[in-house]
Amino acid sequence: MIVAAAMLSLPRPLLATCVCLLLLPGGQGRILGYTNGFHYQDISNGNGHGEIYFNGIRLHVESPQSSVSATRGSTVTLPCHYHYEPELTTPRKTRVKWSWLPANTMTPQVSTETFLKETEVMVAMGSRHRSYGSFRGRVRLRRSAPGDMSLVINELQVNDTGRYRCEVIDGLEDDSVTVDLELRGVVFPYYSQKGRYHYNFFRAQKECQDQDATLATFEQLFTAWEEGLDWCNAGWLADGTVQYPITIPRDGCGGKNLAPGLRSYGQRDRVLHRYDAFCFAASVKGTVYFLENTTKLNFAEAIQACASDGSQIAKVGQLYAAWKLMGLDHCDAGWLADGSVRHPITKARANCGPSQPDQ
């Protein structure tokens, strides 16, 4: 029995799984030679310093969703709309900037310093726009109605997850809103065939990548724990912390007296310290299937059998994604690309492994 993943180009496709206001020194804070239709009032405080108070039209930027989830390889839209209060009688020229804070740099309390790490995704003004970095050629503004500045991302990648900021700028006025982008997928623990705790951070990154996955984020591991993931061995996460999920407290796993949750070792030395890895695999276009054979095969024979069938042997991340996201269920075990032998179970039953669904 072999677990195989077919290439898309072949008969069976592969499952791959802030605008600042500068007050002029010693003056009344006037913005010389500039008008944008907004109404400002200069107020002198009597000590030679001026202040500007806004008393006119106000710009609002909003999103109906604080988070959006999608699958790898798909097209996703991050909603963002702006409007004025009171409404304008004539349209104005605005500048829109989308920026991105990657998931592996996000923290529960985002500081001002963290905002400096935001990466530009796209800037647009009127019909002109420019996209940057890995987003170049993959993003556009939806513009389905007046004020719609929603960001459309094509061919969603695993590393696209994080917090996106939609900022609309009109002269001295600006406002912004954030939308979190999450990838639907599955978290799985991964460790060396030599036993547990053999990976430093960088090796853990590579091992996950080799299995068509990435190191999981804290949010992804937390979601997996909420869904029942219980694993006593500690593993690296994308932010450089080491943690493990416990649903049933017990000795050897933090102790019986601790409440269920994520046990954390905090930040560890990314070179010197060694642990396992928590990987995240996302859904991709393609199919994972079991290739039946009349005789049992060794690892080399399994690789060749998949190639002869117009496929390639599946990776661990691909099998996990097929099990979690597509309901793959098969009682017979098969070879995978890392040399391990596994089988996916969604309906627990006799003679198919443990009493709980797993691999």
Side-chain angles (χ1 to χ4, degrees), residues 186-189 215-231 233-239 241-247 261-264 277-280:
V186 56
V187 172
F188 61 94
L215 275 178
T217 65
F218 171 85
E219 290 77 11
Q220 290 164 350
L221 183 62
F222 185 82
T223 298
W225 169 76
E226 289 184 313
E227 295 174 350
L229 180 62
D230 183 284
W231 194 259
N233 294 341
W236 290 101
L237 296 182
D239 60 0
T241 61
V242 174
Q243 310 195 35
Y244 61 100
I246 295 297
T247 60
L262 298 188
R263 310 285 193 253
S264 177
F278 284 105
C279 304
F280 177 81

Side-chain angles (χ1 to χ4, degrees), residues 60-255:
H60 293 273
V61 178
E62 302 168 338
S63 176
Q65 296 174 256
S66 61
S67 65
V68 173
S69 62
T71 56
R72 180 178 173 186
S74 67
T75 297
V76 63
T77 300
L78 307 184
C80 174
H81 302 82
Y82 77 92
H83 67 277
Y84 296 94
E85 291 184 358
E87 293 185 4
L88 298 177
T89 57
T90 57
R92 316 180 62 84
K93 179 174 290 187
T94 56
R95 179 174 179 264
V96 180
K97 183 175 75 172
W98 276 93
S99 55
W100 167 60
L101 184 66
N104 59 5
T105 64
M106 289 170 58
T107 58
Q109 293 182 342
V110 180
S111 64
T112 301
E113 181 181 353
T114 303
F115 285 141
L116 299 178
K117 299 178 183 178
E118 288 185 341
T119 300
E120 287 190 338
V121 174
M122 184 183 197
V123 176
M125 187 175 220
S127 61
R128 301 174 60 188
H129 66 273
R130 177 179 296 178
S131 53
Y132 300 90
S134 63
F135 296 97
R136 185 174 293 129
R138 294 195 297 126
V139 295
R140 63 181 176 84
L141 295 181
R142 186 170 60 181
R143 298 183 186 272
S144 62
D148 181 12
M149 293 300 163
S150 301
L151 183 70
V152 179
I153 307 176
N154 296 314
E155 293 296 325
L156 191 62
Q157 301 175 6
V158 172
N159 292 327
D160 289 343
T161 57
R163 179 163 297 162
Y164 288 75
R165 178 177 300 277
C166 173
E167 183 177 14
V168 180
I169 306 165
D170 184 343
L172 297 175
E173 277 287 285
D174 76 286
D175 195 15
S176 67
V177 67
T178 60
V179 181
D180 290 345
L181 175 60
E182 302 168 351
L183 207 61
R184 290 197 290 269
V186 56
V187 172
F188 61 94
Y190 195 78
Y191 53 91
S192 170
Q193 294 182 7
K194 299 178 182 179
R196 73 175 193 166
Y197 298 170
H198 280 269
Y199 304 148
N200 66 17
F201 175 80
F202 302 102
R203 178 66 183 275
Q205 277 187 320
K206 183 179 186 304
E207 292 294 332
C208 289
Q209 291 169 357
D210 287 348
Q211 300 309 316
D212 199 30
T214 61
L215 275 178
T217 65
F218 171 85
E219 290 77 11
Q220 290 164 350
L221 183 62
F222 185 82
T223 298
W225 169 76
E226 289 184 313
E227 295 174 350
L229 180 62
D230 183 284
W231 194 259
C232 200
N233 294 341
W236 290 101
L237 296 182
D239 60 0
T241 61
V242 174
Q243 310 195 35
Y244 61 100
I246 295 297
T247 60
I248 304 175
R250 55 197 182 274
D251 291 334
C253 299

